[in-house]
Amino acid sequence: MKKVVTIIFILTSILSNGQTLEDYFEIAAGNNPGLLSQYKDFEAALQKVPQVKALPDPNLSFGYFISPVETRVGPQKARFSLTQMFPWFGTLKAQGDAAALMAEAKYQSFLDARNKLYYEVSAAYFPLYELKEWVRIEEDNIAILESYKTVSNTKFKNGLGSLVDVLRVDVLLKEARTNLGILKHKEIPLLASFNKLLDRKEDEQIIVPETLGVNVLPIDYVKDSLVVDHPLLNSLELKVKAAAASERAALKQGLPKVGVGLDYVMVDKRTDMVVPDNGKDVLMPMVTLSLPLFRGKYRAAEKEAQLMQESYSLQKKEITNTLKTNYEMAVFDIRQQTDLISLFDEQIMESEQALNLLFTAYGNSGKDFEEVLRMQQQLLKYTKLKISALTQYEIALAKFNYITAKK
């Protein structure tokens, strides 16, 4: 397991400037403090396993007889005692199982945190694409309006148009230039938001794709496996099993503990008579048995573990319901944006055709320039709306991948 986790953080092929969204995922996985904290939490939980599986420390005691105790073989001078207690059979294994399962649950929580981070990176990444495209569209709009101004000005000078047409273009140009300036200022907070997730400098530049497309998803197939291997649900299932292991451990802790030991007594020789084994030290094996008479704490520990199992099971059911609801909303969002993209494509095509006809008519008659400008602004609106729909589609897809635990 640790080997698999380590691979996640290997960034040997990733430099500070990623080229794709997947590259940024890897940078975020290696740098994001929140995700690294989750992984450290998992590593700390692993260290709990050897602690609870270990035997209690042996006890060594020493006693010195200030007034020697006379025995048949001589006066006792000092006593050494060594004792090792052993819990009931299976207690350590149950405690180790509970700790290992809780560590695995934390690993699943880490996986969910990683998937959520990928979604957050995507949600901060695609608005940068939208901004770049809106800037390009607004710049193109300014160039078109400037050409319209030249044409309308020429028409006015030749007596084929009115001054109102020139003024109308000036109004739209001022609005477009103001919008362009606002869009360029918007890049600063968007970059800061994105780079924060990667734990980098706020003004670090980001490479965004040139174009975005729409792919057909096997949504029904994914729905069948929604609750089969989701990290959040896996984490809670493992917690249920850990609580069951804790219940077994609590039951066994309420059973007697057995201790074995050895006493060594130093004996001086008798000087008043000669006896067999005079001054011979004493070596005495010992067996100890604990008596768990006060049962309240053991029953409480068992009840606690049972209640935790019920709690985790209810949490799992609640999250399952939430995932299913979020799944349906994500599918709706994806389909909604797909339909909007198709609609805007049609509206852009028809608006371009209408604009060409209107501009040709204006070139011939010098009339209806207001309609030309209106259609140009309508085309601008639909083009921006399509870019926004593509952006929202990608964000909805990223949320869908998070809900279904897909990268």
Side-chain angles (χ1 to χ4, degrees), residues 1 92 155 162 217 221 241 253 269 286 288 304 307 337 377 396-397 402:
M1 182 196 305
L92 296 181
K155 291 277 187 184
S162 67
L217 293 175
Y221 169 77
K241 294 179 180 178
Q253 285 170 353
K269 289 184 178 182
M286 297 182 64
T288 304
E304 178 188 7
L307 292 172
Q337 299 307 324
Q377 294 309 298
L397 181 60
Y402 168 60

Side-chain angles (χ1 to χ4, degrees), residues 141-153 162-177 359 362 369-370 372-373 376-377:
N141 180 49
I142 290 173
I144 292 171
L145 289 175
E146 286 176 342
S147 69
Y148 283 179
K149 181 177 180 180
T150 300
V151 172
S152 62
N153 199 31
S162 67
L163 181 60
V164 174
D165 293 340
V166 179
L167 294 177
R168 284 194 180 107
V169 179
D170 272 335
V171 170
L172 292 177
L173 270 172
K174 289 178 182 178
E175 180 182 346
R177 286 168 180 153
F359 193 73
Y362 171 72
F369 187 60
E370 183 179 359
V372 173
L373 294 178
Q376 167 60 27
Q377 294 309 298

Side-chain angles (χ1 to χ4, degrees), residues 214-401:
V214 177
N215 299 317
V216 179
L217 293 175
I219 289 176
D220 294 334
Y221 169 77
V222 175
K223 185 177 182 179
D224 294 337
S225 59
L226 175 62
V227 297
V228 175
D229 194 29
H230 196 284
L232 274 179
L233 300 180
N234 290 344
S235 175
L236 288 169
E237 182 61 30
L238 288 164
K239 287 180 179 180
V240 170
K241 294 179 180 178
S246 295
E247 183 182 359
R248 293 194 301 272
L251 177 63
K252 292 182 179 295
Q253 285 170 353
L255 298 174
K257 299 177 179 62
V258 179
V260 294
L262 193 66
D263 271 13
Y264 176 73
V265 181
M266 298 176 62
V267 180
D268 271 354
K269 289 184 178 182
R270 296 188 64 167
T271 58
D272 56 341
M273 66 176 64
V274 177
V275 296
D277 298 326
N278 188 18
K280 185 177 182 180
D281 295 340
V282 178
L283 193 64
M284 181 174 60
M286 297 182 64
V287 176
T288 304
L289 186 67
S290 69
L291 300 177
L293 299 178
F294 306 105
R295 307 296 303 168
K297 59 181 179 181
Y298 303 113
R299 286 193 293 267
E302 291 178 47
K303 187 62 177 178
E304 178 188 7
Q306 292 168 1
L307 292 172
M308 290 309 300
Q309 291 177 68
E310 295 176 14
S311 173
Y312 293 139
S313 296
L314 291 171
Q315 289 180 48
K316 182 180 178 182
K317 185 176 181 180
E318 174 67 15
I319 290 178
T320 299
N321 293 337
T322 301
L323 284 174
K324 289 179 178 178
T325 301
N326 291 342
Y327 175 89
E328 296 298 339
M329 286 303 301
V331 170
F332 168 76
D333 288 341
I334 291 173
R335 288 172 174 163
Q336 179 187 38
Q337 299 307 324
T338 302
D339 292 342
L340 287 175
I341 291 167
S342 298
L343 172 64
F344 294 142
D345 278 335
E346 293 176 3
Q347 290 176 322
I348 288 170
M349 181 179 65
E350 293 174 359
S351 296
E352 286 176 342
Q353 293 173 351
L355 179 61
N356 290 334
L357 292 173
L358 286 169
F359 193 73
T360 301
Y362 171 72
N364 294 331
S365 65
K367 298 179 180 180
D368 294 330
F369 187 60
E370 183 179 359
E371 280 299 305
V372 173
L373 294 178
R374 187 186 67 79
M375 189 56 66
Q376 167 60 27
Q377 294 309 298
Q378 181 172 297
L379 177 60
L380 173 69
K381 181 185 74 172
Y382 290 144
T383 306
K384 284 185 174 180
L385 286 174
K386 179 188 175 182
I387 295 300
S388 294
L390 282 168
T391 300
Q392 292 305 313
Y393 169 83
E394 292 292 347
I395 293 175
L397 181 60
K399 186 174 183 178
F400 176 84
N401 287 338

Side-chain angles (χ1 to χ4, degrees), residues 6-195:
T6 304
I7 292 175
I8 296 175
F9 296 104
I10 294 179
L11 302 175
T12 54
S13 62
I14 304 297
L15 300 176
S16 60
N17 292 321
Q19 298 298 312
T20 66
L21 181 57
E22 286 70 26
D23 293 334
Y24 291 125
F25 285 162
E26 296 295 339
I27 295 173
N31 292 349
N32 184 268
L35 185 62
L36 294 177
S37 173
Q38 288 268 8
Y39 183 65
K40 293 299 181 183
D41 193 28
F42 157 67
E43 284 191 315
L46 284 177
Q47 303 307 312
K48 189 74 174 177
V49 179
Q51 297 179 49
V52 298
K53 290 180 68 174
L55 288 169
D57 292 333
N59 292 323
L60 176 64
S61 60
F62 168 76
Y64 182 79
F65 295 95
I66 299 176
S67 299
V69 178
E70 294 291 342
T71 65
R72 184 184 66 82
V73 295
Q76 297 180 358
K77 293 181 58 180
R79 178 191 297 267
F80 294 89
S81 295
L82 179 65
T83 306
Q84 174 67 62
M85 298 299 295
F86 295 90
W88 195 260
F89 303 103
T91 303
L92 296 181
K93 183 181 184 305
Q95 292 178 169
D97 290 344
L101 288 165
M102 285 300 294
E104 180 64 21
K106 288 183 180 293
Y107 175 67
Q108 293 296 323
S109 296
F110 160 75
L111 291 181
D112 179 69
R114 182 203 62 183
N115 293 343
K116 185 177 181 181
L117 176 63
Y118 288 166
Y119 163 66
E120 292 173 346
V121 169
S122 298
Y125 176 77
F126 290 108
L128 287 164
Y129 163 81
E130 180 184 44
L131 177 64
K132 184 199 72 171
E133 288 299 299
W134 274 37
V135 167
R136 179 187 61 78
I137 292 168
E138 203 64 69
E139 288 174 344
D140 291 345
N141 180 49
I142 290 173
I144 292 171
L145 289 175
E146 286 176 342
S147 69
Y148 283 179
K149 181 177 180 180
T150 300
V151 172
S152 62
N153 199 31
T154 302
K155 291 277 187 184
F156 170 67
K157 289 179 179 179
N158 293 334
L160 300 176
S162 67
L163 181 60
V164 174
D165 293 340
V166 179
L167 294 177
R168 284 194 180 107
V169 179
D170 272 335
V171 170
L172 292 177
L173 270 172
K174 289 178 182 178
E175 180 182 346
R177 286 168 180 153
T178 301
N179 289 339
L180 181 60
I182 293 172
L183 287 174
K184 289 184 176 180
H185 289 144
K186 188 178 179 181
E187 183 182 21
I188 296 174
L190 289 181
L191 282 176
S193 176
F194 182 84
N195 284 314

